[in-house]
Amino acid sequence: MKLYAPSTIREIKEKYGFKLSKSLGQNFLTDKNIIDKIIDATEITDEDLIIEIGPGIGVLTAEACQKAKRVVAVEIDRNLIPILEDTLSEYNNVEIINQDVLKTDLNEIIEKSGCRRAKVIGNLPYYITTPIIMALLEGGIHADSITIMMQKEVADRIKSNPGTKTYGALSVAVQYYCTVRNVAVVPKEVFFPAPKVDSAVLRLDLRDEKPVELDDEKMFFRCIKAGFGQRRKTLSNSLIGLGDVTKEEVKSCLEAAGIDEKRRAETLNLDEFAAIANYFSKLGK
Ligand code: SAM
């Protein structure tokens, strides 16, 4: 059975009385070529634990099961569980967890499996793309890589460089935790039903060593938030948004870091954000 064929999705809908949920971001992949690209980019070996976010009817899951040691897929929609049990019935190395991925302790799953680290895959539900990515990264997911499909616009923001329109808090945060690789740009027509926008697949490789040295990670993220929270303001104004710093402290911070106070957050690279954050950390902020 070609799981990814639109005719299969129609048959499954009929057989189970399943209704696709728009609010759960259910746009299923129907292109084998794109499925292969995601699986190939993940470089799955027979030693790997794969964690999949949102398996849908299991198009990626089935391919991962053929290559990995073990696959754990987290799906929020309980109506998809009997369908997945059916579509994946030939594999004995898969576990489906019926839960909201944002409320699931993925590191506990990884530890329990006896694997040191996992590889994460998914065609993400678009209504919570950014929260999922940030939860994985901030939660310190024990993974080597995260190969995921998302709206193209979000992928563009993630890989942006300083000085571009799309560069923002998400770019800095993801690039702090990961190196970012393009896998594919995906036209909206290959989904059932087609979403309104095109998509892209990125592979994020978790860094062994962070690219900047920080005295306090929290302060780094506070500076990013303050800077981009008021992205049209100059740094001398936007950093006041930190709340517990004075205008004079901001001025001396920027002077010490050699950063012109008229610059905006969108022009700062990771090193410059780190210099600002470390200055305030040393002040005890
Ligand atoms: N992987 C399938 C594919 O490529 O055809 C389905 C992808 S579809 C874009 C997103 C999937 O994520 C849906 O199956 C949806 O029910 C599931 N989902 C939505 N919100 C979720 C959440 N908070 N936790 C886990 N799964 C979720």
Side-chain angles (χ1 to χ4, degrees):
M1 182 165 61
K2 284 183 183 158
L3 261 190
Y4 53 85
S7 58
T8 309
I9 302 174
R10 279 192 207 96
E11 268 169 42
I12 285 177
K13 284 178 69 196
E14 182 115 330
K15 182 170 168 198
Y16 292 90
F18 175 71
K19 288 198 179 76
L20 284 151
S21 160
K22 210 174 173 182
S23 63
L24 289 178
Q26 290 178 347
N27 302 98
F28 294 162
L29 253 175
T30 61
D31 188 319
K32 180 71 165 74
N33 186 34
I34 302 297
I35 293 167
D36 288 346
K37 278 194 178 161
I38 297 172
I39 296 295
D40 291 349
T42 309
E43 297 180 296
I44 304 174
T45 74
D46 56 10
E47 311 247 290
D48 281 335
L49 166 68
I50 299 294
I51 305 265
E52 185 186 4
I53 299 169
I57 62 165
V59 283
L60 288 168
T61 332
E63 298 294 326
C65 284
Q66 290 172 33
K67 301 200 158 169
K69 180 174 178 200
R70 195 170 159 66
V71 179
V72 178
V74 183
E75 173 56 62
I76 198 172
D77 186 350
R78 70 184 156 89
N79 297 319
L80 283 168
I81 306 306
I83 299 175
L84 284 163
E85 278 163 5
D86 196 0
T87 58
L88 302 172
S89 60
E90 65 188 278
Y91 304 106
N92 56 15
N93 59 344
V94 61
E95 183 187 350
I96 309 294
I97 299 181
N98 182 205
Q99 248 169 242
D100 178 345
V101 71
L102 290 176
K103 295 184 181 146
T104 306
D105 186 342
L106 297 177
N107 279 344
E108 191 182 302
I109 295 172
I110 296 166
E111 272 157 38
K112 271 192 189 153
S113 79
C115 291
R116 209 177 52 81
R117 293 171 83 73
K119 290 176 178 168
V120 178
I121 63 169
N123 168 14
L124 294 185
Y126 291 175
Y127 72 106
I128 43 167
T129 305
T130 308
I132 291 177
I133 295 173
M134 291 316 296
L136 294 173
L137 299 179
E138 288 174 350
I141 179 90
H142 297 160
D144 291 323
S145 62
I146 303 171
T147 306
I148 41 176
M149 173 112 71
M150 63 197 83
Q151 305 93 306
K152 184 172 172 302
E153 174 262 328
V154 177
D156 288 343
R157 284 198 277 133
I158 286 178
K159 54 188 197 186
S160 278
N161 291 319
T164 60
K165 256 195 199 156
T166 47
Y167 184 69
L170 185 65
S171 332
V172 183
V174 176
Q175 292 172 29
Y176 170 69
Y177 288 109
C178 309
T179 58
V180 180
R181 251 197 255 182
N182 281 315
V183 174
V185 172
V186 183
K188 49 184 176 293
E189 291 75 25
V190 306
F191 297 90
F192 183 101
K196 288 206 174 71
V197 293
D198 289 336
S199 298
V201 181
L202 295 181
R203 172 169 149 172
L204 312 176
D205 282 40
L206 281 289
R207 297 178 188 272
D208 292 331
E209 263 180 49
K210 298 289 191 302
V212 287
E213 260 182 50
L214 298 175
D215 295 337
D216 173 13
E217 211 170 71
K218 267 202 195 120
M219 177 50 88
F220 178 69
F221 284 103
R222 280 180 63 202
C223 291
I224 292 165
K225 198 168 165 209
F228 287 110
Q230 314 241 8
R231 68 183 286 145
R232 299 196 59 80
K233 286 194 180 172
T234 60
L235 285 168
S236 56
N237 289 316
S238 63
L239 288 173
I240 293 294
L242 282 167
D244 57 355
V245 298
T246 63
K247 247 193 155 3
E248 288 66 43
E249 284 169 337
V250 171
K251 201 172 163 32
S252 36
C253 167
L254 293 172
E255 238 171 52
I259 297 168
D260 186 331
E261 63 179 75
K262 294 213 167 56
R263 284 174 62 188
R264 296 186 167 87
E266 65 205 32
T267 69
L268 296 185
N269 61 29
L270 264 70
D271 287 319
E272 291 171 317
F273 272 115
I276 293 172
N278 287 342
Y279 183 91
F280 287 133
S281 299
K282 288 200 174 73
L283 285 188
K285 302 291 175 187

